[in-house]
């Protein structure tokens, strides 16, 4: 694979075993992430965003999960690596920020020890150097009293401070790629903005790349370079952030955009998308997967076997239905 990209995902299919049968939650995804790029992955809950994030570093329980395809990171296929080889990449070259810091962090280990554990595994620093680095990281992520936080347990911190401590752990080894899976979940609006500004500043200062998984399109507009819209396990549209907001094409993307509240709109009620994301067992595996949620759109306008169409350079959309879709039918 070309070294032009830091990460290249080819035909990724992640399936979970349910009642003895495997069902794909991530179904044939292709994705590229350039160096020093923020790629946002957006979509409703249940679309496969987190399943894809955990697949990139093989963090699923493989007793009931199947991961197929190719994931090239710095030219090396992560899916073909042995576990010891992969562990050198996880936490070292790829940092992971999870949704819930309280469950992601070890409740029985002090914050400083958790940061130092990463440094022990991936560096040759002495004990004093690791402590110094941990305090430096806590300071870098905006914790007011690093020395105090260093000796605290996760439950003693507020949600915002825990999130900062988890970010400090994720960036401890200056990773080339950060995967942030809804890093501001359950935080209030003010803290959300602080955490997102922090992530953007860290990415800018280190020159690394980031995959930001979120359902908040306002966040995407602020910090992303490109956006991949995911629905029912597939990428249905991908474009630069400017192109996507100026000219959203796929019916699902347009529906998401239309669901955003706006101070400029005089409408009293917010638009809602009909129906829900189907469960894995009931996921349609042929045709346009969004078709059943836009029943007013003629079935003949969808492709029987949807393909990607490059509308403008770098702007891809899945299925021909974007050409005739009328949002007013909602």
């Amino acid at each position: 694979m070309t070294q032009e990209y830091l990460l290249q995902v080819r035909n990724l299919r992640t399936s979970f075993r349910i009642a003895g049968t495997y069902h794909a939650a991530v179904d044939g995804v292709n994705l590229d992430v350039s160096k020093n790029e923020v790629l946002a992955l957006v979509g409703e809950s249940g679309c496969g965003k987190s399943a894809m994030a955990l697949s990139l570093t093989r963090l699923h329980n493989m007793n009931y999960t199947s991961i197929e395809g190719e994931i090239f990171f710095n030219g090396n296929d992560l899916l073909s690596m042995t576990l010891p080889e992969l562990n050198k990449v996880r936490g070292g070259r790829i940092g992971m920020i999870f949704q819930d810091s309280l469950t992601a962090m070890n409740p029985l280990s002090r914050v400083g020890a958790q940061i130092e554990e990463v440094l022990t595994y991936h560096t040759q620093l002495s004990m004093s150097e690791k402590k110094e680095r941990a305090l430096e990281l806590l300071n870098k992520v905006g914790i007011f009293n690093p020395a105090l936080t260093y000796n605290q347990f996760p439950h003693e911190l507020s949600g915002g401070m825990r999130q900062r401590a988890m970010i400090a752990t994720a960036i401890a080894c200056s990773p080339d790629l950060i995967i942030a899976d809804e890093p501001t979940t359950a935080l209030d609006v003010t803290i959300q903005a602080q955490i997102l500004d922090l992530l953007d500043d860290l990415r800018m200062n280190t020159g690394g790349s980031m995959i930001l998984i979120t359902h908040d399109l306002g966040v995407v507009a602020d910090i992303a370079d490109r956006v991949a819209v995911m629905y029912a396990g597939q990428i249905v549209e991908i474009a630069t952030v400017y192109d996507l907001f100026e000219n959203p094409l796929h019916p699902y993307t347009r529906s998401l955009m239309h669901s955003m509240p706006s101070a400029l709109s005089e409408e009293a009620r917010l638009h809602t998308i009909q129906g829900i994301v189907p469960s894995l067992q009931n996921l349609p595996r042929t045709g346009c997967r969004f078709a059943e949620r836009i029943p007013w759109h003629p079935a003949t306008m969808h492709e029987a076997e949807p393909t990607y169409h490059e509308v403008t350079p770098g702007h891809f959309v899945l299925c021909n239905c974007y050409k005739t879709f009328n949002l007013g039918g909602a």
Side-chain angles (χ1 to χ4, degrees):
M1 287 289 177
T2 175
Q3 292 299 304
E4 178 185 352
Y5 297 104
L6 177 67
L7 180 76
Q8 290 182 285
V9 178
R10 293 292 176 266
N11 198 30
L12 179 64
R13 180 168 282 99
T14 301
S15 305
F16 298 107
R17 190 176 73 235
I18 302 173
T21 302
Y22 280 91
H23 303 271
V26 180
D27 203 355
V29 165
N30 294 285
L31 209 58
D32 296 321
V33 180
S34 300
K35 296 178 180 179
N36 197 30
E37 177 184 41
V38 176
L39 175 71
L41 187 62
V42 304
E44 294 167 282
S45 296
C47 284
K49 305 186 303 298
S50 294
M52 178 174 167
L54 295 176
S55 298
L56 296 179
T57 48
R58 285 164 51 189
L59 285 174
H60 289 294
N61 185 335
M62 299 309 294
N63 290 324
Y64 60 85
T65 309
S66 169
I67 303 177
E68 303 169 275
E70 296 176 317
I71 304 173
F72 285 89
F73 177 71
N74 275 329
N76 300 307
D77 187 5
L78 298 180
L79 293 185
S80 66
M81 287 184 177
T82 63
L83 189 56
E85 291 172 335
L86 184 62
N87 283 338
K88 292 179 180 179
V89 176
R90 295 193 294 207
R93 306 308 342 135
I94 300 178
M96 188 85 184
I97 302 171
F98 298 93
Q99 290 187 37
D100 185 354
S101 55
L102 190 58
T103 56
M105 299 183 74
N106 185 345
L108 303 179
S109 179
R110 298 182 191 274
V111 170
Q114 296 192 49
I115 299 174
E116 290 179 4
E117 182 179 6
V118 178
L119 296 171
T120 298
Y121 197 91
H122 294 286
T123 73
Q124 301 297 319
L125 297 178
S126 65
M127 289 183 64
S128 61
E129 289 172 331
K130 283 185 289 188
K131 181 174 182 177
E132 182 180 349
R133 173 64 174 160
L135 292 170
E136 174 192 332
L137 287 162
L138 291 172
N139 181 65
K140 182 179 288 189
V141 297
I143 289 180
F144 178 71
N145 190 337
L148 174 63
T149 303
Y150 176 90
N151 287 304
Q152 288 181 308
F153 291 97
H155 73 270
E156 297 180 277
L157 307 181
S158 67
M161 288 185 68
R162 270 199 309 273
Q163 203 70 7
R164 291 173 186 272
M166 186 165 61
I167 291 171
T169 306
I171 66 170
C173 298
S174 301
D176 300 318
L177 175 67
I178 294 174
I179 302 173
D181 187 3
E182 301 200 33
T184 58
T185 295
L187 300 179
D188 64 58
V189 175
T190 303
I191 303 300
Q192 283 185 25
Q194 293 175 2
I195 294 297
L196 291 167
D197 286 344
L198 168 63
L199 286 173
D200 200 31
D201 288 343
L202 290 171
R203 195 266 310 181
M204 294 287 286
N205 292 334
T206 61
S209 302
M210 180 164 60
I211 297 176
L212 174 63
I213 298 169
T214 182
H215 55 263
D216 189 332
L217 292 172
V219 168
V220 171
D222 281 341
I223 68 173
D225 297 308
R226 285 191 306 135
V227 188
V229 181
M230 194 166 191
Y231 181 76
Q234 296 179 322
I235 302 296
V236 297
E237 187 166 359
I238 188 165
T240 65
V241 67
Y242 178 83
D243 285 346
L244 194 85
F245 277 83
E246 282 294 308
N247 187 29
L249 294 175
H250 193 277
Y252 181 60
T253 309
R254 293 174 62 188
S255 298
L256 286 177
M257 296 287 192
H258 195 52
S259 300
M260 293 177 64
S262 172
L264 302 177
S265 174
E266 296 181 358
E267 292 183 14
R269 298 178 61 185
L270 288 175
H271 169 73
T272 57
I273 307 174
Q274 287 192 26
I276 60 173
V277 181
S279 66
L280 286 185
Q281 299 97 314
N282 298 320
L283 200 67
R285 300 295 173 178
T286 58
C288 179
R289 298 187 178 186
F290 193 58
E292 64 181 30
R293 297 183 68 181
I294 47 173
W296 65 89
H297 191 65
T300 55
M301 297 295 100
H302 298 282
E303 292 177 284
E305 296 293 336
T307 56
Y308 287 97
H309 307 270
E310 188 171 17
V311 182
T312 58
H315 190 163
F316 293 88
V317 59
L318 184 65
C319 189
N320 260 330
C321 60
Y322 78 93
K323 295 179 179 178
T324 54
F325 176 68
N326 177 16
L327 190 61

